[in-house]
Amino acid sequence: MASRTPLMAGNWKMNLDHLQATQLVQKLDWTLKDAEHDYGAVEVAILPPFTDLRTVQTLVEGDKLSLVYGAQDLSPKDEGAYTGDISGAFLAKLGCTYVTIGHSERREGHGETDELLNEKIQAAYRHGLTPILCCGEALEIRKEGRQVDHVLGQIEADLAGIPVEQVRTIVIAYEPIWAIGTGEVATPEDAQEVCGAIRGKLAELYDEATAAGIRILYGGSVKSSNVSEIMGKPDVDGALVGGASLKADEFAKICGFETA
Ligand code: PEP
């Protein structure tokens, strides 16, 4: 089996201004240092609002921190008359490693379609950014037992035409919408069912070796108290963490899930 370095990514959503970001990054760094966190064994990423990125870059580069960071969205376009949008080129200049694409809060709240998300994935790769592609089903779909078909449909549409040499680096985050910010966590078996099916789909769309190398995260009310069990599943390679990533102690515990 391919060895996949687990990734713990903190999605701050629209929380914390750049001054608060400084405090959280510093506290997270100290806490992880105190816990002797091995970044080679578990990668740690934060995904702050756009307005915090310059501050985070200065801290990470100035203090040589081992955290990596990224943005929560990007424009499908590279530059021009697109008021309010942010180009992948700008994110790359700010030292971003990752960019979240297709979070349910954007699919639902901003009407983002699979076609648009496909363009955003292409834009991310044009600028050397690694997409964290989010997918997941609403409660009604799960109640009807259609979660696997629904998510695989999203993956197939979002990745249409993305070549194998690019997709090798992608990160996929399975986030059942009913579990985001609700305190409702999918069982480890629920997470494995869909994450395993995603890996199967990647093997079908590309090949087994490519599928075996891609990291698939689970997201939805992950906390230090439930992370170890979820990480125990063979196709879960990390977590996309919302609320719990805003507290340095709690997020550091999640990053050290093996000892949590
Ligand atoms: C998220 O925003 O991606 C998320 C999973 O949020 P929470 O952990 O708060 O459910």
Side-chain angles (χ1 to χ4, degrees), residues 20-61:
Q20 294 167 316
T22 302
Q23 289 173 2
L24 181 53
V25 169
Q26 287 175 334
K27 189 162 181 212
L28 182 60
D29 173 60
W30 299 329
T31 313
L32 288 167
K33 277 197 181 112
D34 280 352
E36 298 183 10
H37 184 78
D38 178 355
Y39 286 92
V42 180
E43 189 181 4
V44 179
I46 53 169
L47 305 162
F50 290 130
T51 48
D52 297 357
L53 286 171
R54 177 66 177 144
T55 302
V56 171
Q57 178 189 33
T58 304
L59 279 167
V60 168
E61 290 181 0

Side-chain angles (χ1 to χ4, degrees), residues 43-117:
E43 189 181 4
V44 179
I46 53 169
L47 305 162
F50 290 130
T51 48
D52 297 357
L53 286 171
R54 177 66 177 144
T55 302
V56 171
Q57 178 189 33
T58 304
L59 279 167
V60 168
E61 290 181 0
D63 297 343
K64 298 195 173 26
L65 307 185
S66 302
L67 295 166
V68 292
Y69 55 92
Q72 298 171 16
D73 186 35
L74 87 171
S75 169
K77 308 289 185 194
D78 295 340
E79 62 177 349
Y82 303 103
T83 303
D85 286 354
I86 300 290
S87 165
F90 306 161
L91 301 177
K93 266 276 186 312
L94 286 166
C96 288
T97 300
Y98 292 108
V99 60
T100 313
I101 294 176
H103 192 283
S104 59
E105 287 155 14
R106 297 210 60 89
R107 286 184 191 254
E108 294 201 324
H110 296 261
E112 296 198 355
T113 61
D114 289 315
E115 194 181 19
L116 175 67
L117 301 180

Side-chain angles (χ1 to χ4, degrees), residues 102-183:
H103 192 283
S104 59
E105 287 155 14
R106 297 210 60 89
R107 286 184 191 254
E108 294 201 324
H110 296 261
E112 296 198 355
T113 61
D114 289 315
E115 194 181 19
L116 175 67
L117 301 180
N118 178 266
E119 286 177 36
K120 289 189 175 194
I121 294 170
Q122 295 180 49
Y125 281 123
R126 273 200 304 281
H127 298 291
L129 301 164
T130 298
I132 300 179
L133 172 64
C134 303
C135 55
E137 81 286 356
L139 187 57
E140 312 82 76
I141 294 175
R142 174 152 288 261
K143 280 186 178 157
E144 293 163 12
R146 294 191 295 112
Q147 63 274 11
V148 169
D149 282 356
H150 178 82
V151 168
L152 299 190
Q154 289 179 321
I155 296 291
E156 187 158 7
D158 298 344
L159 295 182
I162 305 295
V164 68
E165 56 280 6
Q166 290 186 336
V167 88
R168 273 195 194 111
T169 60
I170 205 165
V171 176
I172 295 188
Y174 168 55
E175 299 204 305
I177 298 170
W178 47 271
I180 298 180
T182 58

Side-chain angles (χ1 to χ4, degrees), residues 9-13 100 103-105 134 173-177 179-184 218-223 239-245:
N11 173 19
W12 291 6
K13 311 194 190 203
T100 313
H103 192 283
S104 59
E105 287 155 14
C134 303
Y174 168 55
E175 299 204 305
I177 298 170
I180 298 180
T182 58
E184 247 343 287
Y218 168 77
S221 300
V222 171
K223 304 183 204 61
L240 185 54
V241 184
S245 72

